[in-house]
């Protein structure tokens, strides 16, 4: 593993561990969510040497580089398709195979891209309705409740963790930021349940 540096949403660097053989990336808890949009390109697409290397590593039982717990593949029908993510039940860190970080960031970008001019509000509304409908139709997993708690709690935009009461309310967001935040909260709620 070697260390690679990327930027978070608000400029603070995040140091990730990248496997120099397979190109997979280890994210400590919440680092995946804090990574600034487009940072995946810096450590995946431009790394041509790694892109040429074989990536046939699916199915291997991996252990957490922090605490050696066995990683489990994260599967959820609401999670963006084509992204294989393994996470540590102990420290909540996640492992992404080569290319999956890029796909994760692309999924986030797709979510926030307006379908047509002025339709951001409608998209956000539809997306929230869709998520709620899916959860109401499915078995009770607690995700919806958890998501509700996230959405009604003032969040630190950097870490997506609840703000302390004395830090006040977050600034008003434009719709694109709000959509992004909802997307990240949904993913986070799915992963933490
Ligand atoms: Zn761990």
């Amino acid at each position: 593993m070697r260390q690679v540096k990327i930027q978070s949403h608000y400029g603070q660097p995040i140091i990730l561990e990248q496997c120099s053989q397979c190109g997979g990336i280890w994210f400590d808890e919440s680092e995946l969510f804090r990574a600034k949009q487009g940072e995946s390109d810096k450590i995946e697409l431009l790394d041509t040497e790694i892109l040429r290397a074989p990536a046939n590593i699916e199915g291997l039982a991996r252990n957490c580089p922090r605490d050696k717990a066995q990683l489990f593949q994260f599967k959820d029908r609401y999670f963006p398709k084509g992204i294989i993510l393994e996470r540590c039940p102990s420290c909540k860190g996640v492992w992404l195979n080569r290319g999956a970080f890029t796909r994760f960031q692309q999924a986030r970008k797709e979510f926030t891209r307006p379908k047509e001019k002025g339709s951001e509000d409608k998209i956000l509304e539809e997306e929230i309705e869709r998520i709620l409908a899916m959860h109401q139709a499915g078995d009770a997993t607690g995700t919806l409740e958890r998501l509700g708690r996230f959405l009604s709690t003032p969040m630190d935009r950097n870490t997506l963790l609840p703000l302390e009461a004395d830090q006040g309310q977050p600034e008003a967001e434009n719709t694109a930021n709000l959509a992004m935040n909802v997307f990240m909260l949904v993913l986070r709620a799915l992963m933490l349940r």
Side-chain angles (χ1 to χ4, degrees), residues 80-140:
K81 299 277 177 285
I83 300 172
I84 296 171
L85 180 152
E86 288 168 70
R87 62 176 184 155
C88 173
S90 170
C91 69
K92 312 290 187 210
V94 296
W95 171 265
L96 290 179
N97 281 345
R98 189 187 78 210
F101 182 31
T102 300
R103 285 196 289 278
F104 178 87
Q105 292 216 315
Q106 279 167 352
R108 183 165 71 176
K109 202 165 146 195
E110 286 299 316
F111 182 89
T112 55
R113 178 188 297 162
K115 283 173 193 145
E116 50 193 71
K117 204 177 174 186
S119 65
E120 293 96 322
D121 285 331
K122 196 161 172 19
I123 290 170
L124 175 61
E125 211 170 280
E126 284 170 0
E127 206 59 40
I128 291 172
E129 268 174 27
R130 188 177 63 83
I131 290 160
L132 294 181
M134 282 193 304
H135 281 281
Q136 277 157 4
D139 32 3

Side-chain angles (χ1 to χ4, degrees), residues 26 64-69 71 88-93:
W26 178 260
C64 176
R66 303 289 183 225
D67 52 43
K68 308 296 178 215
L71 303 184
C88 173
S90 170
C91 69
K92 312 290 187 210

Side-chain angles (χ1 to χ4, degrees), residues 30 32-34 37 74-81 83 85 87 92 94 96 100-101 103-109 111 127 130-131 134-135 143 146-147 150-151 160 179-193:
S30 90
L32 177 60
F33 300 98
R34 289 164 51 209
Q37 186 66 40
F74 180 76
K75 283 189 177 144
D76 193 288
R77 59 201 165 118
Y78 309 128
F79 196 72
K81 299 277 177 285
I83 300 172
L85 180 152
R87 62 176 184 155
K92 312 290 187 210
V94 296
L96 290 179
F101 182 31
R103 285 196 289 278
F104 178 87
Q105 292 216 315
Q106 279 167 352
R108 183 165 71 176
K109 202 165 146 195
F111 182 89
E127 206 59 40
R130 188 177 63 83
I131 290 160
M134 282 193 304
H135 281 281
T143 305
R146 194 186 288 272
L147 178 60
F150 271 121
L151 292 176
L160 291 178
M180 167 86 78
N181 286 346
V182 170
F183 176 76
M184 298 310 274
L185 290 171
V186 169
L187 291 185
R188 197 176 159 86
L190 287 172
M191 289 177 59
L192 292 179
R193 77 175 177 212

